[in-house]
Amino acid sequence: MGAQEVVVGIVAEAFVKFVTRLCECEKLKKLHERDFELAKVAEEVTKALSDGREGTFGPVTIKVQKKFLGRREVKVWLYGNEVDPNTLLAELSKAKSRAAWLLSDCSDHALIEVLYPYEDRYLIEVAQRNMEEIKSLCTGATPKIDFGEAPAHVVEGVMKGVEAYLSRHAGA
């Protein structure tokens, strides 16, 4: 095996690790969609609860009923199910934490870090430029990758990596 084949194999291995991590993140984001949805409205919902204000905020509905002697009763629904306001606040807190963790661990920068040990700036540039297109591998599709000025070993390695990933994850 010549030097070119060795380098192509290393690039392919790096690319498969990158795609594997990318697809793990895509799966986690889909699995925790509700957390992102709740995290988006958490601040507004918390403020509405503290102000005693009614409203619908994404998956959360708040109703305030005036009771005897000016007292108020707050009723809260999360995804159509009535919950205690404290339970809602706990769910909002958990959702914000999970969403922040995922946004950090699955940021483009964190994903690209998988490639840093390989020290190939062309491979890193190809991954950065094609991040959205490469996500299609997660659903078993072959991406159309823009290689730009990447040298032959990167082009061959990435193509070999695409084939390797698809063959290992066919039907997954």
Side-chain angles (χ1 to χ4, degrees):
M1 182 183 282
Q4 176 78 9
E5 289 87 19
V6 170
V7 174
V8 166
I10 291 170
V11 169
E13 175 187 317
F15 189 76
V16 168
K17 282 182 182 177
F18 167 70
V19 173
T20 300
R21 182 71 185 124
L22 177 73
C23 292
E24 285 171 2
C25 282
E26 289 300 296
K27 192 181 296 181
L28 285 170
K29 286 177 182 176
K30 193 172 226 50
L31 184 66
H32 294 289
E33 260 177 342
R34 283 184 161 199
D35 289 324
F36 287 109
E37 193 176 9
L38 277 178
K40 282 181 193 170
V41 299
E43 204 169 303
E44 195 175 4
V45 168
T46 304
K47 183 155 177 35
L49 280 173
S50 69
D51 294 347
R53 185 168 40 95
E54 290 189 344
T56 299
F57 312 90
V60 177
T61 301
I62 301 171
K63 297 277 186 203
V64 179
Q65 296 175 335
K66 295 196 190 302
K67 291 286 187 181
F68 186 66
L69 296 175
R71 296 187 51 132
R72 296 181 201 199
E73 181 182 43
V74 177
K75 291 195 175 222
V76 180
W77 290 266
L78 176 61
Y79 294 105
N81 298 316
E82 188 171 355
V83 295
D84 175 74
N86 290 329
T87 301
L88 174 66
L89 291 171
E91 287 299 314
L92 291 173
S93 178
K94 286 190 283 189
K96 283 171 40 179
S97 293
R98 269 194 294 260
W101 165 71
L102 275 170
L103 289 173
S104 172
D105 276 15
C106 292
S107 68
D108 289 357
H109 179 75
L111 292 168
I112 293 295
E113 280 182 0
V114 170
L115 299 174
Y116 288 174
Y118 297 92
E119 297 179 355
D120 190 317
R121 76 176 178 94
Y122 291 106
L123 175 58
I124 291 168
E125 287 172 6
V126 166
Q128 286 173 323
R129 181 175 40 250
N130 294 282
M131 186 85 67
E132 287 304 311
E133 186 63 30
I134 293 169
K135 286 178 184 176
S136 67
L137 279 164
C138 303
T139 59
T142 302
K144 291 176 180 40
I145 298 174
D146 171 11
F147 288 100
E149 302 294 315
H153 74 275
V154 171
V155 174
E156 287 178 50
V158 167
M159 296 312 294
K160 188 175 178 181
V162 166
E163 289 173 21
Y165 184 84
L166 287 174
S167 69
R168 288 184 206 161
H169 296 86

